[in-house]
Amino acid sequence: AGSECARTAGNDSENSAGIERERKNINQSLLVLGRVIKSLKKGDSKPGRVPYRDSKLTRILQEALGGKSKTCIIATVSPSILAVDETIS
């Protein structure tokens, strides 16, 4: 979600600005989610600030990620050779 290559996403010139903005917002939220998970990682030597407030996604998931709950993260990846770079990143 959000990491599709612009060439293969099927952009319409009429709707491309909205799609591009949405893509940037999704990528920003996923980047912040990665930072939150990294800062919550067990064995982290520096217990610092957890950036929950840096995106709407992490704000919504704050209790699930940092509370007393168990959380499972599922990643969907493509087996296509054309999507190798996207899958690895």
Side-chain angles (χ1 to χ4, degrees), residues 2-85:
S3 63
E4 304 89 3
C5 190
R7 288 170 284 179
T8 60
N11 292 340
D12 292 342
S13 60
E14 172 183 311
N15 205 10
S16 64
I19 292 171
E20 184 64 25
R21 189 174 337 110
E22 181 179 356
R23 184 180 296 125
K24 286 179 182 179
N25 289 338
I26 291 170
N27 283 333
Q28 178 65 30
S29 291
L30 293 175
L31 179 67
V32 173
L33 179 60
R35 288 182 190 149
V36 167
I37 291 170
K38 186 175 180 179
S39 67
L40 291 172
K41 177 178 70 169
K42 287 186 178 182
D44 199 358
S45 61
K46 293 189 275 185
R49 176 184 166 279
V50 179
Y52 291 118
R53 293 184 180 194
D54 291 356
S55 81
K56 289 180 184 179
L57 176 65
T58 53
R59 184 86 163 178
I60 291 168
L61 295 175
Q62 183 173 357
E63 285 299 315
L65 293 171
K68 294 183 178 181
S69 61
K70 293 185 179 187
T71 304
C72 178
I73 296 177
I74 300 171
T76 305
V77 297
S78 174
S80 172
I81 192 70
L82 300 174
V84 170
D85 292 336

